[in-house]
Amino acid sequence: MHRVQRIQLCRLRPLMAGSTIVIGTRGSQLALWQANWVKDAIRSCQPDLTVELTVIKTKGDKILDVPLAKVGGKGLFVKEIEEALLEGRIDLAVHSMKDMPADIPDGLCIGAIPQREEPRDVLITRNRLPLEQLKLGARVGTSSLRRSAQLLHARPDISIVPLRGNLDTRLKKLESESLDAIVLAAAGVRRLGLADRITQILDESVMLPAVGQGALCIEIRKNDSRIAPVVALLDDVPTRQVVMGERAFLKRLEGGCQVPIAGHGHIDEKGYTLTGLVCDVDGSHQIKQSRTGPENRSEQIGLELAGTLLAMGAGEILERLNADAQ
């Protein structure tokens, strides 16, 4: 755990000693790693507090032979967990932020966003060649429209092969399905100790990350005076500012998995800079722009950037793609 977060967590008074907190999570190897990270963070200063995990299977875990864009888009990996949270069967949920829809259900809220992992995507290839050196017509595995559209924009000659499943399953399919490469989120690869498999971290000029990629979302019930103070101490303010700006951008565009939308922000000496992208699925038409302003206005910057892209023609792309998805 990061040192600042450890110090903050240790300031928590042991008001909940002897009680139990139940964390809801998906059952994949990566989801369990993330949930256990949160569990350990909570218990690091309250060893007498019992923290348990409850595994909940989501629709996205059950449907593995159909691209996400064709089975409902965002929310596929969180809905059943959110239902358990609303019903009181769990006390908090741990999600990958990039799986979170732009709208949070009534009665729930984002209780904390811990410090972000590497947000970019990575290329893993069988022959260790980077994207620009892959053979003509190379077979690249991904079921993400965002990734495939940007790959085709950079390399129109490649062949996109649908690829679903957990991270370890997708790594195995690199060999079993005779793929030349696959694209994954760097955060998941690194969290599972598989960084040595990475061939290339894809530059944002080639592959802009998904909104929230690399960040965790700790979701709780609104006004939960028992749980909110505990998870709030895991919140990283700069990460929250960055991610909430990205999510405002996504919400303004009403985006989901059915359309190739990307957005990534960062904070530096200039303030908060957010870059957003909307692209045709074949990569032929890409609208990309950035906007900078004070970090405490990140959400407004996200809304303004979305408006800029819509004025540049993103609305027509989104309308066409949403119509095709019906």
Side-chain angles (χ1 to χ4, degrees), residues 123-131 133-135 138 174-175 179-181 199:
L123 190 75
I124 298 178
T125 63
R126 283 199 295 165
N127 52 17
R128 307 297 292 184
L129 291 177
L131 178 63
Q133 294 180 24
L134 290 178
K135 68 182 183 182
L174 177 62
E175 300 291 341
L179 301 175
D180 295 292
T199 301

Side-chain angles (χ1 to χ4, degrees), residues 176-206:
S176 66
E177 299 195 5
S178 300
L179 301 175
D180 295 292
I182 60 175
V183 181
L184 300 171
V189 176
R190 288 172 55 156
R191 282 169 175 152
L192 293 184
L194 298 171
D196 61 317
R197 296 292 304 273
I198 296 173
T199 301
Q200 178 185 19
I201 296 179
L202 295 170
D203 189 81
E204 290 185 24
S205 62
V206 175

Side-chain angles (χ1 to χ4, degrees), residues 22-28 30-39 53-61 74-86 90-105 108-117 187-188 191 211-221 231 234 239 243 247:
V22 181
I23 298 175
T25 176
R26 294 170 58 204
S28 71
L30 178 58
L32 290 172
W33 185 99
Q34 294 172 168
N36 276 302
W37 184 92
V38 173
K39 173 184 175 180
L53 302 187
T54 292
V55 174
I56 300 171
K57 202 161 192 176
T58 67
K59 185 177 180 181
D61 296 312
K74 280 194 176 291
L76 284 173
F77 297 108
V78 304
K79 184 179 178 181
E80 289 81 0
I81 301 175
E82 289 180 329
E83 288 173 351
L85 188 56
L86 285 167
I90 59 175
D91 296 304
L92 62 97
V94 179
H95 312 285
S96 293
M97 183 62 82
K98 70 183 181 69
D99 291 335
M100 293 295 292
D103 291 310
I104 304 294
L108 301 180
C109 66
I110 297 174
I113 307 176
Q115 191 167 29
R116 196 177 203 169
E117 232 310 351
R191 282 169 175 152
V211 164
Q213 186 160 298
L216 298 183
C217 172
I218 302 177
E219 190 175 24
I220 64 173
R221 289 180 290 274
V231 302
L234 298 180
T239 298
V243 170
R247 286 180 55 75

